[in-house]
Amino acid sequence: MTTIERAEVLVAGPGRNFVTLRLTTSDGVTGLGDATLNGRELAVASYLRDHVVPLLIGKDPARIEDMWQYLYRGAYWRRGPVTMTAIAAVDTALWDVKGKVAGLPVFQLLGGRSREGVLVYCHASGTDTASLVDDVARFRDLGYQAVRAQAAVPEVGGTYGVRKGLIYEPAATSLPDEQPWSTEAYLRFAPTYLEAVRDRLGFDFHLLHDVHHRLTPIEAARFGKRVEDVQLFWMEDPTPAENQESFRLIRSHTTTPIAVGEVLNSIWDVQHLITEQLIDYVRTTVVHAGGITHLRRIFDLAALYGVRTGSHGATDLSPVTQSAAVHLDLVVPNFGIQEYMEHAPETMEVFRSGVRFENGMLHPSEEPGLGVEYDDAAAERFPYDPRYLPVARRLDGSLHDW
Ligand code: KDG
Ligand code: MG
């Protein structure tokens, strides 16, 4: 019987930090899984190295579903970002292996194409309204059909989602940066820049906005209602989702579509949001929600309730996750959109990926498996360097949701 012979946890910082699991079978087939949890990377590396790798050696790599159940139920301690990211890495690597063994790209194993490409949205930002509008126009010129728009709120300086250079990277400091926040200033300003984008550039593209958990439910309801004429594709994470019930209040006040899920890790975390139709798009991802196997389960549940997919795809999700997402997006009937941020050139030196962008869409490679290779020699040049995401403080000094 073919077995898993080797499991390596690879930690490197090419442009930013990534944790990657590489499995090698007794037949010499390798598979990659992303295990990156931004700002908490080594917790997952240890979970894998110390508690999962010993369980993998000698097991049958073909039994993906059984391995998922073994790592989930067998741990006794369930759910949470660290556990679900570790399970995701194993699951993704096993799908990569299965594809290579079968000689087929993973999307073929998942049921084959439902569409020709995967519609993506990119990140436009600006330090004020004028520079934001220019940035949205620039992305439209590059062929993007969907653009997320964020601008710095004048009264509070730096704000979530505003790029410094060409690459947006919020985990930029060796201790968490402390950023000021004023809900009042945001609520006054954000609707005006979204309106300016529509006034200048029209309605023939999708416009998205990420609230990034900054509002209470009633504030989010007011925001959603205020921007209805802008016709957002979605407002993302209008309020923290620990309390799934709070979305009922937002829903009852506005027709602006709602997207939630990038920090959620399991089907149970999104169960009521989906079955009670409190959201329109579910943003759970391969890497933080238990891998391809579990994400497919979430997406299938969502399909029953008319909820579409819109997976997280920021740069802290490695090119392995990006490729796995594109394979799954190509197949599921209720696909909505995929987030896409270009990785830093250093990242792409380590992860050789066959995913390509064309006319506002991503396309997977036709190579067997996921079509991503890890370059060990390149990774050696980029050691792990601890980085934290910022925190947000209200103007009175108290901590806010970042
Ligand atoms: O690690 C956190 C980032 O991935 C997150 O802040 C990005 O909100 C985000 C998004 O929508 O891409
Ligand atoms: Mg987000």
Side-chain angles (χ1 to χ4, degrees):
M1 179 183 85
T2 304
T3 59
I4 301 171
E5 201 170 76
R6 217 166 152 212
E8 299 158 279
V9 180
L10 311 163
V11 180
R16 66 162 352 279
N17 294 316
F18 292 107
V19 179
T20 309
L21 178 72
R22 179 168 54 206
L23 301 181
T24 308
T25 71
S26 50
D27 294 335
V29 178
T30 59
L32 295 177
D34 181 16
T36 309
L37 188 61
N38 203 4
R40 297 291 185 273
E41 294 88 359
L42 298 185
V44 186
S46 160
Y47 191 107
L48 283 169
R49 269 189 195 126
D50 299 331
H51 303 292
V52 172
V53 166
L55 311 181
L56 301 179
I57 307 305
K59 295 284 188 336
D60 181 355
R63 299 190 180 199
I64 300 179
E65 179 66 42
D66 186 63
M67 179 61 80
W68 197 95
Q69 301 295 336
Y70 180 66
L71 295 177
Y72 183 82
R73 294 173 195 275
Y76 188 58
W77 313 107
R78 299 180 180 201
R79 301 160 64 177
V82 175
T83 298
M84 297 306 280
T85 301
I87 294 176
V90 176
D91 183 80
T92 309
L94 290 178
W95 278 104
D96 194 18
V97 166
K98 194 178 275 300
K100 288 179 182 170
V101 169
L104 291 170
V106 166
F107 73 81
Q108 294 293 10
L109 304 180
L110 296 173
R113 281 177 193 276
S114 293
R115 55 191 54 79
E116 295 313 315
V118 166
L119 177 72
V120 295
Y121 72 90
C122 59
H123 286 208
S125 68
T127 48
D128 55 18
T129 300
S131 59
L132 169 67
V133 173
D134 288 348
D135 208 37
V136 176
R138 186 176 68 84
F139 279 112
R140 292 284 291 130
D141 290 344
L142 290 170
Y144 286 91
Q145 302 168 40
V147 185
R148 187 188 93 161
Q150 314 285 137
V153 179
E155 292 153 73
V156 296
T159 307
Y160 165 76
V162 179
R163 275 197 330 268
K164 290 210 176 72
L166 272 180
I167 308 262
Y168 174 62
E169 181 46 76
T173 47
S174 55
L175 285 173
D177 187 25
E178 307 234 337
Q179 299 176 346
W181 175 252
S182 160
T183 297
E184 294 73 19
Y186 168 79
L187 283 176
R188 270 195 302 274
F189 182 54
T192 68
Y193 68 67
L194 295 172
E195 281 159 2
V197 171
R198 285 306 197 197
D199 284 348
R200 270 274 308 278
L201 304 172
F203 284 80
D204 67 340
F205 64 98
H206 299 304
L207 182 63
L208 299 83
H209 179 68
D210 191 351
V211 181
H212 220 252
H213 310 110
R214 299 289 171 92
L215 301 177
T216 65
I218 196 69
E219 289 163 351
R222 184 145 54 93
F223 178 80
K225 201 166 163 182
R226 168 77 169 77
V227 299
E228 272 172 16
D229 288 346
V230 164
Q231 293 178 26
L232 288 182
F233 186 88
W234 74 37
M235 67 171 169
E236 178 180 332
D237 291 333
T239 199
E242 282 97 333
N243 179 9
Q244 299 184 28
E245 184 61 27
S246 65
F247 284 80
R248 197 180 305 284
L249 187 144
I250 306 174
R251 202 54 154 175
S252 66
H253 288 283
T254 178
T255 55
T256 295
I258 301 170
V260 172
E262 69 180 50
V263 300
L264 303 181
N265 317 115
S266 77
I267 198 165
W268 296 279
D269 299 338
V270 291
Q271 181 180 2
H272 299 297
L273 293 174
I274 290 173
T275 59
E276 291 167 43
Q277 292 170 286
L278 300 177
I279 59 172
D280 301 279
Y281 296 90
V282 60
R283 278 181 47 74
T284 39
T285 61
V286 169
V287 58
H288 299 137
I292 294 172
T293 298
H294 194 64
L295 194 61
R296 177 81 199 245
R297 201 151 279 152
I298 293 174
F299 287 177
D300 284 345
L301 177 69
L304 293 181
Y305 294 91
V307 173
R308 292 195 283 160
T309 73
S311 284
H312 187 203
T315 43
D316 48 297
L317 284 63
S318 91
V320 178
T321 286
Q322 184 183 76
S323 176
V326 171
H327 280 265
L328 188 55
D329 291 340
L330 207 60
V331 176
V332 292
N334 54 329
F335 169 72
I337 201 164
Q338 170 68 46
E339 182 178 13
Y340 172 50
M341 283 171 85
E342 263 185 75
H343 287 103
E346 300 93 314
T347 302
M348 303 317 291
E349 283 178 44
V350 173
F351 296 90
R352 303 271 165 74
S353 171
V355 171
R356 72 193 158 80
F357 173 81
E358 207 179 286
N359 295 331
M361 292 191 177
L362 285 181
H363 302 270
S365 83
E366 296 281 341
E367 283 169 61
L370 291 172
V372 185
E373 291 305 322
Y374 191 88
D375 185 330
D376 290 274
E380 293 255 308
R381 290 190 278 118
F382 304 105
Y384 168 76
D385 180 19
R387 296 281 154 182
Y388 281 91
L389 286 168
V391 297
R393 287 195 185 275
R394 301 179 197 105
L395 301 184
D396 70 357
S398 56
L399 206 77
H400 198 68
D401 294 290
W402 182 71

